[in-house]
């Protein structure tokens, strides 16, 4: 498989390429977080960085008043992977619907969901909400990669995200080939997510993520590694070996689109 990585080496942030009209003008942006809480807070950071990059690229002043109104709702939603993998597990839709309604009530017309696996309920959350656009993280990431000339990538995600084919379907639609980890590597990724990031133990997260990503890199070469779980970018970029890799953060792509930057 041939690939043209967007930016070889290190974490690959999206660039502020567009200076056209922004979807945020005139209305607040909503962010559905809490899955987990650290990922929700980190998404706000990415959103503000996207705002600043666009302002600087457009030659606009970077002052408090230049940033759009934005609301983060952190809700204790039940585990999304478990809901997808276990038939009798508690389901997260009700909690997410309540949070979306809160964001719509403050005027949000564009809403980003700061969790990859939660997009399994994207269609149900969007249904019946005229005037509110729920961005789709996998479709936005596929469009971003295709625009950057990438035709193949490695997917690092949760078991639930793999099971529902979230990125596989989006990549297929965009003509992007993908590589999935072996079963044992998927287990290692899940350990990094749950025993590492979610448990507040970053050293475990770095070790597990680095082991899985390193094995994939050695097998498949310099393909971009798509960090398709919002916990993975909280630890993997700080792994020493990651300096040799091209890391793509879908949350960064989604944050740019939440601000309204195209491409």
């Amino acid at each position: 498989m041939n690939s043209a990585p967007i930016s070889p080496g290190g974490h690959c942030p999206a660039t502020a390429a567009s200076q056209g009209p922004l979807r945020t003008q005139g209305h607040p942006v909503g962010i559905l977080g809490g899955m987990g809480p650290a990922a929700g807070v980190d998404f706000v950071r990415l959103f503000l960085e996207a705002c600043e990059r666009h302002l600087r690229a457009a030659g606009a002043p970077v002052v408090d008043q230049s940033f759009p109104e934005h609301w983060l709702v952190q809700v204790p939603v039940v585990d999304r992977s478990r809901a997808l993998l276990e038939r009798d597990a508690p389901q997260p839709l009700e909690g997410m619907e309540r949070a979306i309604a809160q964001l719509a009530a403050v005027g949000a017309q564009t809403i980003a969901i700061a969790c990859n696996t939660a997009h399994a309920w994207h269609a149900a959350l969007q249904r019946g909400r005229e005037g509110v656009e729920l961005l789709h993280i996998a479709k936005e990431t596929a469009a971003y990669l295709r625009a950057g000339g990438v035709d193949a990538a490695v997917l690092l995600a949760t078991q639930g995200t793999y099971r529902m084919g979230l990125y596989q379907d989006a990549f297929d639609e965009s003509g992007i080939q993908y590589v999935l980890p072996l079963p044992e590597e998927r287990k290692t990724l899940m350990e990094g997510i749950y025993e590492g990031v979610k448990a507040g133990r970053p050293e475990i997260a770095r070790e597990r993520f680095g082991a899985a990503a390193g094995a994939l890199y050695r097998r498949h070469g310099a393909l971009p590694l798509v960090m398709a779980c919002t916990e993975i970018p909280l630890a993997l970029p700080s792994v020493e070996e990651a300096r040799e890799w091209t890391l793509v953060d879908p949350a960064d792509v989604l944050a740019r689109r939440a601000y309204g930057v195209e491409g």
Side-chain angles (χ1 to χ4, degrees), residues 110-168:
T110 300
I111 296 176
I113 305 172
C115 172
N116 284 270
T117 311
H119 283 71
W121 294 270
H122 181 277
L125 291 169
Q126 179 69 78
R127 192 176 300 121
R129 298 192 181 278
E130 296 183 7
V132 176
E133 179 186 14
L134 300 184
L135 301 177
H136 193 288
I137 193 168
K139 293 180 179 178
E140 299 292 353
T141 300
Y144 167 72
L145 291 174
R146 174 50 67 190
V150 173
D151 56 24
V154 175
L155 292 174
L156 306 177
T158 64
Q159 296 282 28
T161 297
Y162 291 132
R163 171 73 67 87
M164 67 175 162
L166 179 68
Y167 280 85
Q168 297 96 306

Side-chain angles (χ1 to χ4, degrees), residues 71-88:
W71 294 77
L72 168 67
V73 175
Q74 296 267 50
V75 289
V77 176
V78 300
D79 190 84
R80 283 71 57 203
S81 286
R82 184 184 172 198
L84 290 170
L85 297 171
E86 300 177 18
R87 179 175 300 178
D88 298 327

Side-chain angles (χ1 to χ4, degrees), residues 153-155 162 168 178-182 185-186 216 219-220:
V154 175
L155 292 174
Y162 291 132
Q168 297 96 306
Y178 52 83
V179 173
L180 303 180
L182 298 174
E185 292 162 348
R186 299 187 194 189
L216 285 157
R219 281 204 309 278
H220 301 287

Side-chain angles (χ1 to χ4, degrees), residues 152-203:
V154 175
L155 292 174
L156 306 177
T158 64
Q159 296 282 28
T161 297
Y162 291 132
R163 171 73 67 87
M164 67 175 162
L166 179 68
Y167 280 85
Q168 297 96 306
D169 292 344
F171 280 27
D172 283 340
E173 291 176 6
S174 297
I176 300 174
Q177 299 181 66
Y178 52 83
V179 173
L180 303 180
L182 298 174
E184 191 61 31
E185 292 162 348
R186 299 187 194 189
K187 179 181 177 182
T188 300
L189 288 171
M190 293 295 284
E191 290 173 354
I193 293 167
Y194 284 90
E195 299 174 18
V197 175
K198 289 183 181 292
R201 303 185 66 181
E203 70 284 356

